[in-house]
Amino acid sequence: MKLVFAKGNLLKSVNIVMKAVPSKTTMPILECILIDASANIIKFTSNDMELGIETIVEGTIEERGIIALDAKIFSEIVRRLPDSYVTIETNDNFMVTITCENSKFNIPGKSGEDFSYLPMIEKNDCITISQFSLKEVIRQTIFSIAANENNKLMTGELFEIKNNILKVISLDGHRIAIRKIELNDSYEDKKVVVPGKTLNEISKILSGEIEDKVNIFFTDNHVMFEFEQTKVVSRLIDGEYFRIDQMLSSDYETKVQINKREFLSCIDRATLLVKEGEKKPIIINIEDESMQLRIDSPMGSMKEDIHIEKEGKDIMIGFNPKFLMDALRVIDDDMISIYLVNPKAPCFIKNDEENYIYLILPINFNAMR
């Protein structure tokens, strides 16, 4: 095999497939990137058996072939090569020579025939959205998935298609994030749970341009995201996702409209007095046209008043400041609406169209005094 690449094209493709190379595995072949130039195109593939990525690479095939290269050493070599043309050659013993200007590396490869290829996905069940929309909906929900795997379903996000609306939901037991996107075409109803790891990695690859499209294909066990020259295939998470509709009550006793940037900045200042990992609530006291935020910790205390527009009752309630900040950071609106029932019930941050809904459980700050 003999291939020639521009360094920029090679590095871009290596960076894409590195996202599905496992850090630990009992199968050494999976620590490799598969370079397949056995046909008329060059494909790079990685696969950790949960997530797999395949991308087509721009380059010249001088001799066809297939080889698997240790992903870590190959990526580090490519990263450090001069910005010029890179030649990759193999011999019958799977030895690989990488040449770029005056640099020449010889590294061992492995038979490409031993590599675990990505599962075949039938391209029947598909939706198409812009890369911008997918990247945004991931950004606006991914922070609410659970960090540990005690409940596998909480480490993923529900993708639900109903009445030509794509609804994406994440939750971790303390909060829920919901985003809705109106689809341009008519699609069958569908519910799948996509791993958060998959969505995180896809978000890093997507261009985020409105004009660029991504096709999403569903099967019973897998989902495939196809965009530009890249395919990302992931196992789905099995199980029935949580029924959250009963938690999304439209009843409220207090409605607050507030400047988002001002609210976020105030909480950010308050957290200066809280050590990382310390569970100190921010106490919010709503009276008339004013919201007072207060935090007390061994490092000191802080109070600040913000002007608001209020409907309904006065209320005092406590929250984990991080949970509030996570939600506020991904909302693009200048003014936001917060709906509250009582100090023990969750608050809702949502717009009138309910394109986004963020539910956050309160903290019983009286018990922490």
Side-chain angles (χ1 to χ4, degrees):
M1 182 180 80
K2 185 176 181 182
L3 311 174
V4 181
F5 305 92
K7 153 75 181 290
N9 293 336
L10 182 60
L11 182 59
K12 178 185 175 184
S13 300
V14 168
N15 286 341
I16 287 171
V17 293
M18 281 297 291
K19 293 174 175 27
V21 175
S23 53
K24 292 181 181 178
T25 177
T26 55
M27 300 170 64
I29 192 68
L30 297 184
E31 295 174 346
C32 295
I33 292 171
L34 179 70
I35 302 175
D36 186 347
S38 56
N40 295 325
I41 56 173
I42 306 168
K43 291 190 293 187
F44 285 6
T45 306
S46 58
N47 187 3
D48 69 4
M49 305 308 285
E50 295 289 329
L51 172 67
I53 301 176
E54 176 187 287
T55 192
I56 294 172
V57 193
E58 284 185 41
T60 303
I61 303 173
E62 296 192 1
E63 290 178 24
R64 292 184 182 185
I66 185 170
I67 193 84
L69 294 181
D70 181 279
K72 188 174 180 182
I73 189 66
F74 179 50
S75 68
E76 292 298 338
I77 289 171
V78 172
R79 194 168 284 115
R80 286 168 170 78
L81 288 174
D83 288 327
S84 186
Y85 284 92
V86 181
T87 302
I88 299 176
E89 293 180 80
T90 64
N91 65 19
D92 294 339
N93 298 319
F94 305 119
M95 284 303 296
V96 179
T97 303
I98 302 171
T99 310
C100 182
E101 292 186 350
N102 297 322
S103 298
K104 186 175 183 180
F105 287 87
N106 291 300
I107 60 172
K110 295 179 181 177
S111 170
E113 307 300 331
D114 299 333
F115 196 83
S116 295
Y117 283 84
L118 304 189
M120 290 293 294
I121 303 294
E122 290 186 13
K123 294 187 176 181
N124 297 331
D125 219 353
C126 167
I127 66 169
T128 301
I129 60 174
S130 75
Q131 291 197 33
F132 171 81
S133 295
L134 181 58
K135 195 178 180 84
E136 280 295 282
V137 83
I138 294 171
R139 179 181 72 88
Q140 292 165 336
T141 55
I142 199 71
F143 61 86
S144 281
I145 64 169
N148 61 57
E149 298 208 356
N150 292 342
N151 190 319
K152 190 80 172 172
L153 284 166
M154 286 190 184
T155 66
E157 295 198 351
L158 178 70
F159 275 51
E160 180 179 11
I161 301 159
K162 192 172 185 180
N163 300 326
N164 299 326
I165 299 285
L166 171 62
K167 183 160 69 172
V168 178
I169 302 172
S170 62
L171 56 83
D172 65 2
H174 303 284
R175 52 189 169 167
I176 300 173
I178 303 171
R179 282 287 283 114
K180 296 177 186 174
I181 300 175
E182 192 168 339
L183 301 171
N184 292 329
D185 296 310
S186 179
Y187 298 103
E188 287 186 12
D189 291 358
K190 175 72 66 177
K191 268 188 184 182
V192 299
V193 183
V194 183
K197 178 194 171 186
T198 298
L199 297 171
N200 261 320
E201 300 303 350
I202 285 172
S203 182
K204 295 171 191 172
I205 305 170
L206 291 168
S207 71
E209 297 296 323
I210 291 176
E211 296 79 18
D212 296 339
K213 302 299 179 186
V214 54
N215 295 320
I216 309 174
F217 300 90
F218 301 101
T219 70
D220 290 341
N221 301 309
H222 292 90
V223 60
M224 180 169 77
F225 299 84
E226 189 175 65
F227 49 95
E228 294 168 357
Q229 301 287 338
T230 300
K231 295 177 187 174
V232 179
V233 179
S234 170
R235 286 185 186 273
L236 296 171
I237 298 176
D238 290 332
E240 184 73 26
Y241 201 74
F242 311 95
R243 298 181 183 276
I244 64 165
D245 292 344
Q246 60 209 33
M247 299 180 68
L248 302 177
S249 169
S250 57
D251 295 336
Y252 65 92
E253 296 287 332
T254 309
K255 178 184 177 182
V256 170
Q257 285 190 293
I258 187 169
N259 181 287
K260 186 207 79 169
R261 190 182 295 260
E262 198 177 344
F263 190 29
L264 178 57
S265 297
C266 179
I267 301 169
D268 192 34
R269 285 189 286 275
T271 57
L272 290 170
L273 299 176
V274 180
K275 289 180 181 176
E276 194 171 338
E278 206 175 8
K279 293 183 177 178
K280 285 289 176 187
I282 190 159
I283 300 165
I284 296 173
N285 189 21
I286 296 166
E287 291 183 335
D288 301 325
E289 299 294 297
S290 175
M291 173 190 283
Q292 184 188 79
L293 287 85
R294 186 177 90 241
I295 201 156
D296 295 295
S297 81
M299 295 171 68
S301 64
M302 179 263 199
K303 286 182 183 178
E304 187 166 339
D305 292 319
I306 303 176
H307 174 76
I308 59 169
E309 292 181 19
K310 187 199 79 171
E311 296 174 20
K313 298 179 178 178
D314 293 348
I315 186 172
M316 183 183 286
I317 191 167
F319 291 103
N320 181 323
K322 180 183 183 302
F323 293 169
L324 284 173
M325 290 172 71
D326 284 345
L328 295 172
R329 282 185 178 128
V330 300
I331 296 172
D332 297 326
D333 295 345
D334 293 329
M335 298 295 293
I336 59 165
S337 298
I338 306 172
Y339 298 84
L340 303 128
V341 180
N342 61 58
K344 295 184 178 179
C347 84
F348 293 88
I349 305 172
K350 59 185 178 180
N351 62 356
D352 292 342
E353 299 79 19
E354 297 194 349
N355 294 328
Y356 62 81
I357 303 173
Y358 296 100
L359 177 154
I360 304 169
L361 293 177
I363 293 175
N364 182 2
F365 56 89
N366 292 317
M368 301 183 73
R369 287 177 175 173

